[in-house]
Amino acid sequence: MELWPAIDIRGGKCVRLLQGDYERETVFGEDPVALVQQFISEGAEQIHIVDLDGAKEGRPVQLKTIERMVDSCAVPIQLGGGIRSLDTVRAYVDAGIQRLVVGSVAVEQPQLFESLVDSFPNKIVLGLDARNGRVATRGWVETSHLTSVALAQKYAHAPLAAIVYTDIAKDGMMDGPNLISLREVIMAVDLPVVASGGIAREADIKAVVECGAAGCIVGRALYEGAFTIAQARKAAGEL
């Protein structure tokens, strides 16, 4: 299982939000490029980046910062936040991003989402951000009527790179992932599913492995020293 250390960017800084709430922000670093290099020096073999400003605005906001982050490393980058057009996908792919997480478009503009996936096979990741079982959009500000499982099944046969499943209630709370809902998504589709939200200890990573997830995204636990990247990779079976 792949471990994806997370770097969320807002206002050019590395931050974490509690349950996706922009009013409950903690700044963990002033320099995203330095944090990428730190994670890689500690053993990270892939990085997950979120443009929080872009997610809220619906367009790339931190493109220049992200380009500097990509240029500073040679590991695969997975990026989400504000990816809602073919031009945006093309710009990020040209910048060297390996995988792009798209959520809002999959709910609000299904034809566009299918076009993105067909134009960039195995590059697009379906972002399932769930609040009380329903998929949230636009930087988690709005909640749709669709369930996570229903949306996953809608695109189950598309040439997606993966699905990222995030339980918003668990995100940043350090009280463990929602394993029941994660397992439901994994069982519903024959696609790799990456777990996100609530992972606070090595035992949580092992539990996610046992659920059958293809990877997990870890943020606050790394920043607060709950475990090292090496320990997390060992728990995930990477080492």
Side-chain angles (χ1 to χ4, degrees), residues 63 94 98 108 173 192 196 207:
L63 178 58
D94 290 345
Q98 277 72 29
E108 299 170 355
M173 299 305 291
S196 175

Side-chain angles (χ1 to χ4, degrees), residues 103-104 106-108 127-138 140-148 150-151 168:
S104 296
V107 175
E108 299 170 355
L128 293 181
D129 303 325
R131 179 183 288 113
N132 298 322
R134 304 288 175 175
V135 177
T137 61
R138 298 185 176 271
W140 299 357
V141 174
E142 299 180 11
T143 304
S144 76
H145 67 282
L146 286 169
T147 67
S148 301
L151 190 61
I168 295 172

Side-chain angles (χ1 to χ4, degrees), residues 96-109:
I97 304 294
Q98 277 72 29
R99 302 193 342 180
L100 297 158
V101 182
V102 182
S104 296
V105 167
V107 175
E108 299 170 355
Q109 299 175 273

Side-chain angles (χ1 to χ4, degrees), residues 54-215:
K56 198 170 185 179
E57 295 292 329
R59 59 179 177 82
V61 175
Q62 298 295 334
L63 178 58
K64 295 300 181 182
T65 298
I66 291 166
E67 287 176 341
R68 291 193 295 111
M69 296 168 75
V70 174
D71 290 342
S72 73
C73 69
V75 302
I77 299 291
Q78 177 173 272
L79 171 70
I83 302 171
R84 298 178 195 170
S85 74
L86 186 62
D87 287 343
T88 297
V89 171
R90 186 176 292 111
Y92 278 135
V93 170
D94 290 345
I97 304 294
Q98 277 72 29
R99 302 193 342 180
L100 297 158
V101 182
V102 182
S104 296
V105 167
V107 175
E108 299 170 355
Q109 299 175 273
Q111 289 184 328
L112 174 57
F113 182 76
E114 290 171 358
S115 177
L116 296 179
V117 175
D118 290 340
S119 299
F120 296 91
N122 300 311
K123 288 281 188 182
I124 304 299
V125 175
L126 173 61
L128 293 181
D129 303 325
R131 179 183 288 113
N132 298 322
R134 304 288 175 175
V135 177
T137 61
R138 298 185 176 271
W140 299 357
V141 174
E142 299 180 11
T143 304
S144 76
H145 67 282
L146 286 169
T147 67
S148 301
V149 168
L151 190 61
Q153 290 177 329
K154 178 180 177 69
Y155 298 112
H157 300 293
L160 293 164
I163 292 173
V164 168
Y165 173 76
T166 304
D167 187 300
I168 295 172
K170 294 289 187 178
D171 192 65
M173 299 305 291
M174 298 287 286
D175 63 356
N178 183 340
L179 297 174
I180 294 174
S181 295
L182 172 64
R183 189 177 291 110
E184 288 176 350
V185 175
I186 291 171
M187 296 299 292
V189 296
D190 189 22
L191 285 166
V193 177
V194 177
S196 175
I199 294 173
R201 55 194 66 84
E202 293 168 71
D204 293 332
I205 298 175
K206 293 177 180 178
V208 167
V209 171
E210 292 172 359
C211 273

